[in-house]
Amino acid sequence: GTGHTRLQVDHYPEYVSSSNNNDTASKPKTVKLHQLNLLDFGATTDFLEKHRPDIIVHCAAERYPDAFETKLEESMKLNVESTKHLARECKRLATMAVENDKNGNTTNIYAGPYLIYISTSYVFDGGITSKEYPPYQPQSKVNPINNYGRSKWMGECAVRDILNNPTTPITNDNKEGVVATGGGHGIIVRVPLLYGEDCCDLSESPALEMMKAFLPSSAQQTTITKRKNLDHWALRFPTSVEDVARVLKLMIDRLVENKFPVVSSSSSSDTYHIASPHGITKYELMQLQAQLLNIPVSQVKERTVGDSSGPPKNSAPRPQCTQLDCSETWKALGLSNDASGEQLFEFVSLDEGMKRALNGFL
């Protein structure tokens, strides 16, 4: 989303074009964005061949479990097939990017892009079947219980099997036959429930949509006729996309400097977790937001009620808790204190993050 766009704008200003040729550090900068339909494989291939990126952060997905169920085939194509295609193209570019120098010798001039695939904590089941309980490490047993989680796990498998396995043959989608084997670099990053600090619509994040019942700017605010049940059973770990972007920036810097651990076809050596440690239920999150916005408690009780009886009814199955252990991420980034075992990266507090996220709706 917009937070990941600022991964380029805020953290890599040296690569951002200016709207003024006489730009100074004090002047605003603009980014040229290219609209690309990842399901148009031909256009995607042409784009990658033309721009030859060093890093691809693959965030595109149908990320709402309930919406996923209503358009299953379309969602599977976006979450799985587009990921397979990107993995194949990254591997092909890494393998085929050679050129002859002035002496006629073949020189590898482009190593191909790193593909950073954004996955989800919903690849885990909370222990309901697997009997493996959180917090989850990268090598913990996966067992997604809804189609959204299954699609993201299938995307992870595509990155590992196609891109990180040097023996997997790659075919060009536009031509028949095997192109090459070998080459390619893929990294999987699992995240929990995310929220943006500059959303234009409350519906952009499940972490904010509850405020539709209260904020005057919401069209739904005046149409509430009965109390809305909010999940008070599942524990979530809302994480700001700003924090995710900061960690990705550190990861990318180390990749570029060849200081990041070498990836392989191992099921865990290519996988990292980024998640805030602040756990909360959806109902508690709504209460926090209402408190920050000075909404009277009486109004909150009048319009909402917490439901702790079990998984939300009439929706896609959800695990109760899929907290992610990020210790391997901090080790890989040199951000763990070996003496105390504490992380050196600080996530924004939930109070402060929610203040920023809701500020634009006041």
Side-chain angles (χ1 to χ4, degrees):
T2 52
H4 287 125
T5 300
R6 281 198 302 282
L7 173 63
Q8 178 181 359
V9 178
D10 290 348
H11 300 297
Y12 291 100
E14 64 269 33
Y15 297 112
V16 179
S17 61
S18 170
S19 56
N20 188 322
N21 291 333
N22 298 318
D23 177 59
T24 64
S26 62
K27 292 183 179 180
K29 296 187 176 183
T30 58
V31 165
K32 183 179 180 181
L33 299 179
H34 300 266
Q35 187 174 13
L36 185 64
N37 178 4
L38 292 184
L39 294 179
D40 185 338
F41 291 173
T44 301
T45 295
D46 291 344
F47 180 88
L48 295 177
E49 289 182 343
K50 177 181 178 180
H51 294 280
R52 291 193 170 191
D54 295 311
I55 305 287
I56 298 174
V57 182
H58 179 24
C59 309
E62 172 52 69
R63 56 195 173 88
Y64 292 97
D66 293 340
F68 198 104
E69 299 296 331
T70 64
K71 44 184 180 179
L72 189 58
E73 183 177 356
E74 178 184 344
S75 298
M76 277 292 185
K77 286 181 179 179
L78 177 59
N79 287 18
V80 182
E81 297 306 319
S82 72
T83 304
K84 288 181 179 179
H85 180 70
L86 281 175
R88 285 194 293 265
E89 289 304 297
C90 287
K91 185 164 189 173
R92 186 177 65 85
L93 287 171
T95 306
M96 302 299 291
V98 296
E99 188 173 272
N100 292 332
D101 62 19
K102 62 182 180 180
N103 297 319
N105 298 317
T106 299
T107 305
N108 196 335
I109 62 170
Y110 175 52
Y114 281 98
L115 177 62
I116 300 178
Y117 173 66
I118 305 300
S119 188
T120 175
S121 62
Y122 272 10
V123 298
F124 300 111
D125 68 358
I128 187 171
T129 302
S130 68
K131 304 304 178 185
E132 187 159 356
Y133 298 96
Y136 291 107
Q137 297 180 338
Q139 68 271 22
S140 296
K141 181 180 179 180
V142 304
N143 184 42
I145 62 174
N146 57 42
N147 284 318
Y148 164 66
R150 293 185 190 101
S151 74
K152 298 303 285 184
W153 171 243
M154 292 168 71
E156 289 190 21
C157 292
V159 173
R160 294 193 189 96
D161 295 344
I162 297 172
L163 191 54
N164 289 353
N165 188 342
T167 64
T168 301
I170 298 303
T171 58
N172 189 325
D173 286 330
N174 298 322
K175 301 175 183 179
E176 294 184 357
V178 174
V179 173
T181 59
H185 316 276
I187 292 174
I188 293 143
V189 175
R190 295 177 182 144
V191 297
L193 171 68
L194 300 179
Y195 65 91
E197 296 181 12
D198 61 349
C199 290
C200 298
D201 190 304
L202 292 169
S203 299
E204 287 187 49
S205 172
L208 303 176
E209 63 180 357
M210 300 87 71
M211 286 295 101
K212 287 180 179 179
F214 300 100
L215 293 181
S217 59
S218 171
Q220 292 190 13
Q221 195 269 343
T222 57
T223 63
I224 303 298
T225 58
K226 64 179 182 179
R227 289 200 297 175
K228 180 179 177 63
N229 280 357
L230 290 179
D231 179 26
H232 194 36
W233 173 80
L235 193 62
R236 303 155 192 256
F237 295 83
T239 301
S240 169
V241 293
E242 299 286 349
D243 283 338
V244 175
R246 286 167 57 212
V247 178
L248 288 177
K249 196 268 182 182
L250 296 172
M251 188 177 291
I252 290 169
D253 286 347
R254 292 179 76 87
L255 282 170
V256 172
E257 296 168 1
N258 294 317
K259 295 180 179 178
F260 203 72
V262 177
V263 299
S264 70
S265 57
S266 165
S267 61
S268 62
S269 64
D270 55 11
T271 307
Y272 299 90
H273 293 167
I274 305 175
S276 167
H278 310 301
I280 196 168
T281 69
K282 190 171 186 177
Y283 182 64
E284 290 170 334
L285 184 59
M286 181 277 301
Q287 291 178 311
L288 170 62
Q289 293 170 347
Q291 180 182 353
L292 293 172
L293 295 173
N294 295 315
I295 297 173
V297 175
S298 59
Q299 189 175 352
V300 173
K301 291 182 177 180
E302 179 183 287
R303 300 192 176 196
T304 63
V305 59
D307 185 355
S308 58
S309 61
K313 301 175 179 63
N314 302 317
S315 67
R318 286 172 171 80
Q320 186 169 20
C321 178
T322 55
Q323 182 180 12
L324 299 175
D325 182 324
C326 302
S327 56
E328 292 301 316
T329 305
W330 310 138
K331 289 178 184 177
L333 294 175
L335 292 175
S336 63
N337 188 326
D338 293 333
S340 65
E342 295 180 357
Q343 68 187 49
L344 301 180
F345 182 90
E346 185 175 353
F347 286 91
V348 66
S349 70
L350 201 48
D351 285 31
E352 180 58 30
M354 286 296 116
K355 284 180 185 177
R356 297 174 189 174
L358 294 169
N359 185 56
F361 299 99
L362 298 178

